Amino acid sequence: MKLKTHFSAGAFFLILLAVLFPFAADMHIPLVHGKVVEWIENGQAVWLLFGAIFTAFYIRPLSLENGSRQFWLWAVVWWLVLFGRSTSWGRDYFPEEPRILFRTISVLLIAALVLPVIFSSVLRNAIVFRLRTLRLPLWMSIIVVATFLIADAVEHHRLLSPIFLHDLRYGELMEELYENIFMIGLFIVCLDIMRNEKESLRRPPVTKMES
């Protein structure tokens, strides 16, 4: 795997947000009885659904050749799984429906993510090929991993959580704010990969000159 070490303005902005977020508690930003967290969670759900729709329309997986088609359909499923998980598989919006319905949705989405990797050698080869050849934006990838770990640390009160959580009343807010950075960064990384793939598809095939 090759890494792109260019430090972008987007990476700088997300790091700046990550540094400033913990001071929201020090400024006593109103939580409005949990409504602020609820609004953020709803925005996250919309963003993740947008990620699935955008990926499908931008890369148009059904128009790609074998291998690329399976990989990008799998990528769309990843966004849908993240969307489903963020809404408790729909339970957040339809709490009166039977739990078996949401359990079924979760099983189907996770199965759509896992089973193709197990049973499709074409998909596995496509994943391995990209791991070997794609140019991953280094700084944005670091931001994605770091903010995911920070959100997890805040949620579960792990060792480093006091660095980011200055007031326990703001625990859920901090978790959601760092998840926002994670989701935005993840989308930027995916967009970069899709752009690179579209550029490679536009390049004419290299042919050896006849001697």
Side-chain angles (χ1 to χ4, degrees):
M1 182 184 295
K2 301 177 182 178
L3 297 173
K4 294 193 288 187
T5 57
H6 172 70
F7 188 73
S8 65
F12 172 78
F13 178 70
L14 292 181
I15 290 174
L16 181 62
L17 287 179
V19 171
L20 293 176
F21 278 161
F23 297 100
D26 300 334
M27 296 172 62
H28 303 291
I29 292 178
L31 298 175
V32 196
H33 305 291
K35 287 294 182 182
V36 172
V37 171
E38 184 179 334
W39 295 333
I40 294 174
E41 289 175 337
N42 290 336
Q44 290 174 351
V46 172
W47 179 254
L48 293 170
L49 184 59
F50 166 77
I53 295 171
F54 181 89
T55 300
F57 278 89
Y58 184 84
I59 201 70
R60 298 184 182 277
L62 295 179
S63 66
L64 300 176
E65 63 182 13
N66 203 33
S68 293
R69 178 171 61 252
Q70 286 87 340
F71 177 83
W72 288 109
L73 286 172
W74 185 65
V76 172
V77 173
W78 259 110
W79 284 111
L80 292 175
V81 169
L82 291 174
F83 166 71
R85 180 64 186 86
S86 74
T87 62
S88 299
W89 315 107
R91 189 184 302 117
D92 291 348
Y93 299 112
F94 304 99
E96 303 302 324
E97 299 298 327
R99 294 178 65 88
I100 187 63
L101 173 63
F102 308 116
R103 176 67 66 180
T104 302
I105 292 172
S106 68
V107 169
L108 290 176
L109 283 175
I110 294 173
L113 186 67
V114 175
L115 293 181
V117 179
I118 297 174
F119 293 108
S120 174
S121 60
V122 174
L123 175 59
R124 291 197 301 274
N125 291 337
I127 294 171
V128 171
F129 173 77
R130 282 162 180 80
L131 289 175
R132 290 176 176 173
T133 61
L134 64 81
R135 298 181 66 226
L136 201 64
L138 174 63
W139 288 104
M140 194 61 69
S141 300
I142 291 174
I143 290 169
V144 168
V145 174
T147 51
F148 174 82
L149 294 177
I150 292 170
D152 181 73
V154 170
E155 179 184 8
H156 299 288
H157 304 286
R158 302 192 193 281
L159 181 62
L160 297 178
S161 63
I163 298 175
F164 309 98
L165 181 57
H166 297 172
D167 187 331
L168 292 178
R169 294 175 300 173
Y170 286 80
E172 289 187 353
L173 178 62
M174 287 301 107
E175 177 193 347
E176 301 303 331
L177 289 177
Y178 281 104
E179 284 182 357
N180 280 352
I181 301 180
F182 161 74
M183 293 175 189
I184 294 170
L186 182 63
F187 178 82
I188 293 173
V189 170
C190 291
L191 179 59
D192 188 80
I193 295 172
M194 287 190 289
R195 283 175 174 167
N196 290 341
E197 182 135 343
K198 292 190 77 169
E199 288 176 5
S200 67
L201 291 173
R202 284 196 292 265
R203 294 191 200 107
V206 178
T207 57
K208 294 182 179 179
M209 296 181 63
E210 295 182 1
S211 57

